Amino acid sequence: MDFSTNGSEESELYHAQIHLYKHIYNFVSSMALKSAVELGIADAIHNHGKPMTLPELASSLKLHPSKVNILYRFLRLLTHNGFFAKTTVKSNGEEEETAYVLTPSSKLLVSGKSTCLSSVVKGALHPISLDLWGVSKKWFHEDKEQTLFECATGENYWDFLNKDSDYLSIFQDAMAADSRLFKLAIQENKHVFEGLESLVDVAGGTGGVAKLIHEAFPHIKCTVFDQPQVVGNLTGNENLNFVSGDMFKSVPSADAVLLKWVLHDWNDELSLKILKKSKEAISHKGKDGKVIIIDISIDDNSDDHGLTELQLEYDVVMLTMFLGKERTKKEWEKLIYDAGFSRYKITPICGFKSLIEVYP
Ligand SMILES: C[S@@+](CC[C@H](N)C(=O)[O-])C[C@H]1O[C@@H](n2cnc3c(N)ncnc32)[C@H](O)[C@@H]1O
């Protein structure tokens, strides 16, 4: 050992080692979660309708008997991580047996529910999302402005996505799932949409969010604006229509522009272009038009370590996939004022995101 230790140095050393090892092996927790989703553990427990013992779970998942102990070991980690909880049930012989129940986190993995986020697990932990990290050293040393994704695959993410229909649908499912949770945020922030007669959801994907707004405010004329390959074949109705185009060229006119999970994909220069096109789109409303941004606003002063960690992880995901970024309040303010808007209001929503109303 390089340095002599007294009690407190030893304790610091061991704490540091635990801290380091925990971060080295964090991926095991992510992968165990992915396995749970692929096996359908949350669905099995949910469908069982009562606490489920290990043999019951293994049988429902149709696992070979040799895998029951492996399932137990995965469940032990996932239970420790808060995805399942243990209780006891009495078996036929009145003997007490351990059984598993869902927790609020694993309830988010139950298929068919409007709050199901399994597709986000599948998308974020897909081999395509993980393999790129293998070239990160090369990426750092290359004198080329490109994403880690481009460095790994030779293509930008959107081109790649549009060529691989299986991966495209995983991506769209993940986006749609994330958007469904937005329903709660709409209910809690009705005032943001009240008084609007029209809204265009720019880069709105397949329209998940616009449909929620349409349900909550049927009188608002909603337009979903996205690339031709995303919305070209979609049909809507009188108050929900799909328009294809390029948001860097122009944005359809409306009382409000919604940019949900969009600006974090782009660097400041391109985000500024999108914001300026959005400002043009609401110009007919004068001072009454608004742009509604849903994105992360990093709070540097937050004492919620887990929340900040998640926001900073998202930032690195956006950087590596798109050269995009998650922004602090100060960075949002600069971008908003640089785009020519005069005021803004930030409201935290959905736990880790923010709704930013921006006015001309
Ligand atoms: C992260 S997704 C956001 C989807 C949606 N807003 C949501 O929250 O579910 C980004 C979207 O930007 C769209 N997009 C990318 N480049 C675009 C462009 N130049 N014009 C319009 N949409 C674009 C993509 O097709 C994709 O649907």
Side-chain angles (χ1 to χ4, degrees):
M1 199 167 290
D2 279 355
F3 53 93
S4 64
T5 56
N6 61 33
S8 91
E9 276 173 353
E10 255 176 45
S11 147
E12 189 179 274
L13 171 75
Y14 294 139
H15 272 107
Q17 186 193 28
I18 290 170
H19 180 234
L20 175 70
Y21 278 31
K22 182 173 160 7
H23 281 273
I24 293 172
Y25 292 108
N26 268 349
F27 79 94
V28 178
S29 287
S30 301
M31 289 303 145
L33 177 62
K34 184 174 175 240
S35 300
V37 167
E38 287 170 348
L39 287 171
I41 295 178
D43 284 339
I45 297 177
H46 173 75
N47 294 336
H48 194 63
K50 56 184 183 190
M52 201 171 197
T53 63
L54 182 67
E56 285 169 341
L57 182 57
S59 142
S60 155
L61 300 177
K62 299 189 172 46
L63 296 187
H64 187 271
S66 67
K67 293 290 191 287
V68 176
N69 194 42
I70 295 179
L71 177 66
Y72 165 72
R73 306 266 290 275
F74 271 60
L75 280 173
R76 185 167 64 172
L77 174 63
L78 289 160
T79 301
H80 179 81
N81 285 348
F83 286 99
F84 302 103
K86 282 196 294 191
T87 182
T88 46
V89 290
K90 288 223 160 112
S91 61
N92 289 341
E94 292 296 292
E95 243 178 64
E96 293 216 319
E97 242 185 302
T98 298
Y100 295 90
V101 292
L102 300 180
T103 62
S105 303
S106 50
K107 284 181 185 161
L108 295 177
L109 304 175
V110 175
S111 312
K113 298 240 176 214
S114 61
T115 50
C116 180
L117 293 177
S118 294
S119 51
V120 178
V121 177
K122 288 180 193 157
L125 299 176
H126 192 281
I128 289 173
S129 315
L130 303 180
D131 287 353
L132 45 132
W133 288 92
V135 299
S136 66
K137 187 175 171 198
K138 176 174 166 235
W139 182 52
F140 264 102
H141 287 103
E142 254 178 14
D143 182 17
K144 218 174 179 184
E145 195 180 319
Q146 64 173 354
T147 62
L148 178 63
F149 190 88
E150 281 166 308
C151 184
T153 65
E155 271 182 294
N156 90 39
Y157 187 72
W158 301 117
D159 292 341
F160 182 92
L161 201 62
N162 291 324
K163 276 194 209 149
D164 184 330
S165 58
D166 288 345
Y167 186 56
L168 177 65
S169 75
I170 290 172
F171 173 83
Q172 286 174 342
D173 286 352
M175 282 292 128
D178 184 76
S179 292
R180 282 194 298 272
L181 277 198
F182 186 55
K183 190 172 183 170
L184 210 59
I186 297 175
Q187 281 160 4
E188 287 167 357
N189 293 279
K190 279 197 157 152
H191 63 278
V192 172
F193 301 91
E194 272 157 8
L196 298 175
E197 284 171 17
S198 57
L199 175 141
V200 56
D201 186 4
V202 171
T206 50
V209 170
K211 282 176 197 153
L212 294 177
I213 294 172
H214 180 56
E215 268 167 39
F217 305 96
H219 68 278
I220 299 181
K221 269 192 178 304
C222 291
T223 300
V224 182
F225 180 71
D226 207 295
Q227 302 186 94
Q229 59 273 30
V230 180
V231 292
N233 295 325
L234 301 179
T235 44
N237 58 40
E238 197 197 334
N239 271 359
L240 177 67
N241 71 320
F242 294 90
V243 173
S244 59
D246 180 354
M247 63 189 167
F248 295 104
K249 295 197 174 130
S250 82
V251 165
S253 160
D255 292 356
V257 164
L258 177 67
L259 292 164
K260 176 181 166 286
W261 252 185
V262 175
L263 295 180
H264 72 170
D265 291 344
W266 306 96
N267 63 25
D268 286 344
E269 190 191 339
L270 293 168
S271 291
L272 205 56
K273 273 194 184 169
I274 299 170
L275 276 176
K276 285 181 176 170
K277 291 293 170 199
S278 301
K279 189 163 176 279
E280 280 169 30
I282 57 166
S283 59
H284 67 284
K285 284 295 276 186
K287 289 275 172 200
D288 290 334
K290 69 161 107 170
V291 175
I292 304 161
I293 300 168
I294 313 286
D295 250 323
I296 283 171
S297 176
I298 301 170
D299 180 357
D300 290 332
N301 301 317
S302 167
D303 45 21
D304 187 338
H305 180 82
L307 173 70
T308 306
E309 186 177 344
L310 171 65
Q311 294 179 328
L312 297 176
E313 284 167 351
Y314 249 100
D315 178 58
V316 173
V317 171
M318 291 306 130
L319 171 69
T320 52
M321 301 293 271
F322 309 112
L323 292 180
K325 66 197 277 194
E326 302 300 350
R327 297 174 167 91
T328 61
K329 181 169 181 269
K330 225 173 166 181
E331 290 171 321
W332 278 118
E333 185 170 283
K334 177 164 174 25
L335 196 62
I336 288 165
Y337 289 156
D338 284 355
F341 292 93
S342 67
R343 64 194 171 93
Y344 71 94
K345 183 181 164 208
I346 301 189
T347 311
I349 57 158
C350 301
F352 69 103
K353 301 175 197 170
S354 286
L355 185 154
I356 312 174
E357 292 165 86
V358 183
Y359 300 92

